[in-house]
Amino acid sequence: MGFVTTPLADLSPADLAAFLETQRAAYEALKGRGLKLDLTRGKPSAEQLDLADRLLTLPTSTRDADGVDVRNYGGLTGIRQIREMFADLLWVEPSQVVAGGNSSLSIMHDCLVHLLLHGAQESPRAWAAEEKITFVCPVPGYDRHFTMLASHGIEMVTVDMHEDGPDVEAVARLVKDDPSVKGMWIVPTYANPSGSVISQEKAAALASMDTAAPDFRIFWDNAYAFHHLTEDEAKSADIITLCSAAGHPNRPLMFASTSKITYAGSGVAFLAASEANVAWYTGHEQFASIGPDKVNQLRHVEFFGSAQGVRDHMAKHRAILAPKFAAVDTALSTELAGLGIADWSKPTGGYFVNLDVLDGTATRVVALAKEAGIVLTPAGASYPYGKDEHDRNIRLAPSFPTLGEVETAMAGVATCVALAAAESLAAGHDDKVAYEPSIGNPEGA
Amino acid sequence: MGFVTTPLADLSPADLAAFLETQRAAYEALKGRGLKLDLTRGKPSAEQLDLADRLLTLPTSTRDADGVDVRNYGGLTGIRQIREMFADLLWVEPSQVVAGGNSSLSIMHDCLVHLLLHGAQESPRAWAAEEKITFVCPVPGYDRHFTMLASHGIEMVTVDMHEDGPDVEAVARLVKDDPSVKGMWIVPTYANPSGSVISQEKAAALASMDTAAPDFRIFWDNAYAFHHLTEDEAKSADIITLCSAAGHPNRPLMFASTSKITYAGSGVAFLAASEANVAWYTGHEQFASIGPDKVNQLRHVEFFGSAQGVRDHMAKHRAILAPKFAAVDTALSTELAGLGIADWSKPTGGYFVNLDVLDGTATRVVALAKEAGIVLTPAGASYPYGKDEHDRNIRLAPSFPTLGEVETAMAGVATCVALAAAESLAAGHDDKVAYEPSIGNPEGA
């Protein structure tokens, strides 16, 4: 299909009709292949998980460096060795780190629950007692962040995500006068799904901006801090120091985990924040937990050996992942370059490629792909309530399938993108009525 | 001190004064030994934890019986094999079981949080939106149950715990007309700290009683279901079937874990409840979790092999624990039998001995013991807000120390009980004024 390189919108009706026929034929051929491929979630592949299989026979000891029997109850903040290791990696002090269970999402939810039921140190009352709570959500963003807020009836207002982070002027305007705006989400490094990395300047702006709410919190989900895809390794902005320097030490709550370092479901998750926030968190968690799984923490300490061990391990992931991301770019470039119907990110880290297709066709692309056996994240999933008003954003997750599967799937996706665009443009030529997808949104966000 | 066998209250002032002097001398000798012993928490000993050390090199596989890679994300209800194993043990269907993380306390807290923020299926509104929420608390009970409620401002009303379970007539009266009474705690089998086991009749009464609240919940903390100390193995009442038969299928939420079976901090915790409650729980948890640690679940499946494997493993715990519980009884009997100043449980399972001392002396006993290097659970800890109005209840936890340490500690505790009682009675002879402890409550509950 590379034989057309004119922007599709500039084609004559006859040429467009011919292009559409070509794409229809290509799509029928695609369907005939009986594919069964899944690009929906940012899951590590079995090959990546294998890298950590030494965990299965660790730890060799049952006592931590302080002599504590890790098998027994207690130790709400986690064992000292893993806190020190990840304090080093996250550029904070060990006293600013809590090592928890297997899910940073759960720590995020715990923080949100404590805020709803008790409020923060500076809160006039529990957040649940407020008439309205609003979060600022850079878009496109992580669907689980948004569904968590929606599940608690928290309102969401969006700002645009750019290559160097969110539109901080827009954020500053939203938080300045409205005390209901209590928080914001951000994936600062290799963002889900845009791949963008927040600049120091933008991080500093978020740290120092005036907020009407005295208890404003930045949920800083540093899920991909060490997840580089190139030698150009992004350094995460040091939001905790920036906020502290700006006089808002309790503003950031940083989250991280080893889920995409060792085992996705059996890693160690972390909260990093001011000591006051650590005390706030453990002050509530003491009523809810007998302590984290310290055996798994010691297992990870022995596995990594040191902070450098974590970095070295990430290089092995990069060797597996980088070719898959290259394959996505190659497939999209080969099929779609020059057609003016798609734009996609070339991330230097993280787990996703952000694909923007012709306005109004994302839902159709996902439906076409599904019919051809290629499951994509539902269109709009990267927006609050699953609503992408332009219907153009698709999140691609190439980590889980094999390289060959990624190549096959992405060639198929490119066909769907071209077909949907041609259909849409041809419909415009035909009767200028609004495009109606014939298959519809296959599933909720 | 066994030479006096007359009830202390019946001694003449002179004989009591002599007894008091003897106890003072014994206590000074006790202090002189420089002990450092801890009977505070129901923690397994290192010897018990060693029984599960094969876990350290398990699992040998990374796929469950359904072929799922346990290392990756997902599987909110836990892997099928461990659900089936514990469904068998807990007398429920696998579809009524969720296998979670390492802490049943966390599952209890999650349930309470979902009730507070969203309510149950039958709730007119979220519990946090009610003016008042009240729980019925059998006493003495588990301090962490009470502090969890207190942390959320939930009111507690108490009923007495008897050998065959709580005073169910008192419970029925409390729940009948007051819709603010939304729940109750109970440790049904080998209760903490009384060791009592609820009878089928009492369980049936709780299952069928009328409650003013349509969304009344029994938090059925079956922490010691398999933790027998004798061959007379108690069968837990089948509260889920009883409630279902009585037309209240969603009333019970059962909790259990392997914390006192394998590793206290690294076990697997369970929720068992009606399928509707399982759907309610996972319906909220889906926004808060990427799934439990399935590797640890498979590790436990391989370790136990079968439900019978769990029962067989518990026999090894019994062999370690039973002599410690016998030592507690021996020490107390030797020193205190016949004096009319102490009463204690002889549990056939669980982790605690319930010691009732002379009214008004529990705080003094704990303080005396602490001064002599024997740390006991704070007096009153088994009551809401730490308030035992009779100041007579002390919870003894003999599992963690060695057998020799239990013997030493309990002889010392007996001395403290006798001294505090003699002080109290002598003060009554002297001036009939209220007893004032000279040391005071050493720490909060």
Side-chain angles (χ1 to χ4, degrees):
Chain A
M1 288 144 273
F3 53 85
V4 173
T5 53
T6 316
L8 233 53
D10 297 345
L11 291 183
S12 68
D15 284 350
L16 183 63
F19 181 88
L20 178 57
E21 278 316 301
T22 311
Q23 297 307 325
R24 281 187 175 141
Y27 180 69
E28 289 306 317
L30 178 69
K31 276 207 291 189
R33 295 180 62 185
L35 298 179
K36 206 169 169 187
L37 299 169
D38 190 329
L39 295 176
T40 54
R41 304 300 313 180
K43 288 167 69 168
S45 63
E47 190 183 1
Q48 288 176 270
L49 297 169
D50 289 347
L51 297 173
D53 275 350
R54 207 160 48 81
L55 286 173
L56 295 172
T57 51
L58 295 177
T60 57
S61 164
T62 56
R63 295 200 175 263
D64 72 5
D66 296 321
V68 172
D69 189 334
V70 294
R71 302 169 301 178
N72 223 320
Y73 290 118
L76 204 54
T77 54
I79 67 172
R80 183 166 57 86
Q81 289 148 288
I82 202 154
R83 293 170 74 199
E84 286 175 352
M85 188 181 287
F86 278 81
D88 181 347
L89 290 161
L90 296 167
W91 284 21
V92 296
E93 296 299 319
S95 60
Q96 296 174 317
V97 176
V98 176
N102 72 322
S103 165
S104 60
L105 194 77
S106 293
I107 299 182
M108 297 173 211
H109 191 261
D110 288 340
C111 285
L112 191 62
V113 161
H114 299 325
L115 289 165
L116 286 167
L117 291 175
H118 304 284
Q121 302 93 313
E122 311 87 356
S123 300
R125 62 194 70 82
W127 287 16
E130 302 282 355
E131 268 194 33
K132 189 172 93 163
I133 298 287
T134 308
F135 263 58
V136 178
C137 299
V139 289
Y142 178 31
D143 55 350
R144 283 183 181 273
H145 288 167
F146 304 151
T147 53
M148 184 189 295
L149 295 179
S151 79
H152 292 294
I154 294 170
E155 304 216 359
M156 292 174 257
V157 291
T158 61
V159 298
D160 286 333
M161 195 70 169
H162 298 301
E163 264 188 43
D164 60 348
D167 179 343
V168 292
E169 285 82 22
V171 176
R173 278 193 301 275
L174 288 166
V175 301
K176 188 165 181 288
D177 300 314
D178 183 352
S180 92
V181 181
K182 294 275 201 188
M184 75 175 290
W185 283 110
I186 181 166
V187 181
T189 311
Y190 306 132
N192 174 353
S194 68
S196 69
V197 178
I198 191 171
S199 66
Q200 291 288 341
E201 294 69 29
K202 285 196 164 180
L206 296 177
S208 64
M209 67 189 177
D210 290 326
T211 65
D215 51 355
F216 186 85
R217 291 289 180 272
I218 300 174
F219 279 58
W220 185 269
D221 184 1
N222 214 351
Y224 308 103
F226 325 113
H227 302 58
H228 315 291
L229 288 168
T230 73
E231 282 176 21
D232 179 22
E233 301 190 350
K235 282 199 178 60
S236 294
D238 180 4
I239 193 67
I240 292 178
T241 300
L242 288 170
C243 285
S244 184
H248 306 297
N250 298 336
R251 181 172 290 182
L253 295 168
M254 186 194 293
F255 309 98
S257 83
T258 72
S259 284
K260 292 191 178 87
I261 300 175
T262 54
Y263 287 166
S266 307
V268 179
F270 302 90
L271 169 69
S274 68
E275 289 185 23
N277 276 345
V278 166
W280 168 83
Y281 177 76
T282 54
H284 292 299
E285 283 296 307
Q286 66 175 311
F287 301 113
S289 171
I290 49 85
D293 183 342
K294 299 186 296 300
V295 172
N296 201 37
Q297 294 184 353
L298 185 58
R299 183 177 287 129
H300 278 74
V301 167
E302 289 191 7
F303 178 75
F304 291 128
S306 67
Q308 187 55 44
V310 177
R311 296 186 195 99
D312 294 344
H313 191 74
M314 292 314 295
K316 300 177 189 170
H317 284 289
R318 179 184 148 194
I320 296 170
L321 285 172
K324 296 183 182 179
F325 280 81
V328 172
D329 189 50
T330 299
L332 293 173
S333 297
T334 303
E335 309 286 333
L336 303 173
L339 298 183
I341 56 169
D343 208 2
W344 58 91
S345 60
K346 295 163 182 59
T348 58
Y351 263 64
F352 302 100
V353 173
N354 188 65
L355 171 63
D356 285 332
V357 296
L358 192 66
D359 278 19
T361 67
T363 301
R364 175 71 174 157
V365 170
V366 172
L368 285 168
K370 190 183 184 191
E371 182 120 338
I374 305 166
V375 188
L376 301 178
T377 308
S382 298
Y383 291 76
Y385 316 108
K387 282 183 193 152
D388 167 14
E389 61 174 323
H390 302 292
D391 189 27
R392 71 176 165 213
N393 187 261
I394 296 171
R395 185 184 82 169
L396 302 172
S399 58
F400 188 72
T402 64
L403 179 57
E405 290 171 338
V406 171
E407 290 167 343
T408 304
M410 287 311 304
V413 169
T415 297
C416 296
V417 170
L419 173 55
E423 285 175 345
S424 174
L425 291 167
H429 279 293
D430 285 353
D431 53 24
K432 303 288 177 195
V433 299
Y435 171 76
E436 288 289 334
S438 61
I439 297 183
N441 194 335
E443 51 194 344
Chain B
M1 287 146 276
F3 54 85
V4 174
T5 54
T6 316
L8 232 53
D10 297 345
L11 291 184
S12 68
D15 285 351
L16 183 64
F19 182 88
L20 178 56
E21 276 317 301
T22 310
Q23 297 307 323
R24 280 187 176 141
Y27 180 68
E28 288 306 316
L30 177 69
K31 276 208 292 188
R33 295 180 61 184
L35 298 178
K36 208 168 168 188
L37 299 169
D38 190 330
L39 295 176
T40 54
R41 304 302 311 180
K43 289 167 69 170
S45 63
E47 190 184 1
Q48 288 176 270
L49 297 168
D50 289 348
L51 297 173
D53 275 350
R54 206 160 49 82
L55 285 173
L56 296 171
T57 50
L58 295 177
T60 57
S61 164
T62 56
R63 294 199 178 263
D64 72 6
D66 296 321
V68 172
D69 189 332
V70 294
R71 303 169 301 178
N72 223 321
Y73 289 117
L76 205 53
T77 53
I79 66 172
R80 182 166 57 84
Q81 290 148 288
I82 201 153
R83 293 170 75 198
E84 286 174 352
M85 187 181 288
F86 278 81
D88 182 346
L89 290 161
L90 296 168
W91 284 21
V92 296
E93 297 299 319
S95 60
Q96 296 174 317
V97 175
V98 176
N102 72 322
S103 165
S104 60
L105 194 77
S106 293
I107 299 182
M108 297 174 211
H109 190 260
D110 288 339
C111 285
L112 190 63
V113 161
H114 299 325
L115 289 166
L116 286 168
L117 291 175
H118 303 284
Q121 301 94 313
E122 311 88 357
S123 301
R125 62 194 71 82
W127 288 14
E130 302 283 354
E131 268 194 35
K132 189 171 94 164
I133 298 287
T134 307
F135 263 59
V136 178
C137 299
V139 288
Y142 179 30
D143 55 349
R144 283 183 180 274
H145 288 167
F146 304 150
T147 53
M148 184 189 293
L149 296 179
S151 80
H152 291 295
I154 293 170
E155 303 214 1
M156 293 174 255
V157 291
T158 61
V159 298
D160 287 334
M161 194 72 169
H162 299 301
E163 265 189 41
D164 59 348
D167 179 344
V168 291
E169 285 82 22
V171 176
R173 278 193 300 276
L174 288 166
V175 301
K176 189 165 181 287
D177 300 313
D178 183 353
S180 92
V181 181
K182 293 273 201 189
M184 75 174 289
W185 283 111
I186 180 165
V187 182
T189 310
Y190 306 132
N192 174 352
S194 67
S196 68
V197 179
I198 192 170
S199 65
Q200 292 288 341
E201 294 69 29
K202 285 196 165 181
L206 295 177
S208 64
M209 67 188 178
D210 289 327
T211 65
D215 51 355
F216 186 84
R217 290 291 181 272
I218 300 174
F219 279 59
W220 186 270
D221 184 1
N222 213 352
Y224 308 103
F226 325 114
H227 302 58
H228 315 292
L229 288 169
T230 74
E231 281 175 22
D232 179 22
E233 300 190 351
K235 281 199 178 60
S236 295
D238 180 3
I239 193 68
I240 292 178
T241 300
L242 288 171
C243 284
S244 184
H248 307 296
N250 298 336
R251 182 172 288 182
L253 296 167
M254 186 194 294
F255 309 99
S257 84
T258 72
S259 284
K260 291 190 179 88
I261 300 176
T262 55
Y263 287 167
S266 306
V268 179
F270 301 91
L271 170 69
S274 68
E275 288 184 23
N277 276 346
V278 166
W280 167 84
Y281 178 75
T282 55
H284 293 298
E285 282 297 307
Q286 66 175 309
F287 301 114
S289 172
I290 49 85
D293 182 343
K294 298 187 297 299
V295 173
N296 201 37
Q297 294 184 353
L298 186 58
R299 183 178 288 130
H300 278 74
V301 167
E302 290 191 7
F303 179 75
F304 292 127
S306 67
Q308 188 54 43
V310 177
R311 296 186 195 100
D312 294 343
H313 191 73
M314 292 315 294
K316 300 178 189 171
H317 284 289
R318 178 183 147 195
I320 296 171
L321 285 172
K324 295 183 182 180
F325 280 80
V328 172
D329 188 49
T330 300
L332 293 173
S333 298
T334 303
E335 309 287 333
L336 303 173
L339 298 184
I341 56 172
D343 208 2
W344 58 93
S345 60
K346 294 163 183 60
T348 58
Y351 263 64
F352 301 100
V353 173
N354 188 65
L355 171 64
D356 284 332
V357 297
L358 191 67
D359 277 19
T361 68
T363 301
R364 174 70 174 158
V365 169
V366 172
L368 285 168
K370 189 184 185 189
E371 182 119 334
I374 304 165
V375 189
L376 302 177
T377 309
S382 296
Y383 290 76
Y385 315 109
K387 282 184 194 152
D388 168 13
E389 60 174 324
H390 301 293
D391 190 27
R392 71 176 166 215
N393 187 261
I394 296 171
R395 185 184 83 169
L396 301 172
S399 58
F400 188 72
T402 64
L403 179 57
E405 289 171 340
V406 171
E407 290 167 342
T408 304
M410 286 312 303
V413 168
T415 297
C416 296
V417 170
L419 173 57
E423 285 177 344
S424 174
L425 291 167
H429 279 294
D430 285 351
D431 51 26
K432 305 286 177 197
V433 299
Y435 171 75
E436 289 288 335
S438 61
I439 297 182
N441 195 336
E443 51 195 342

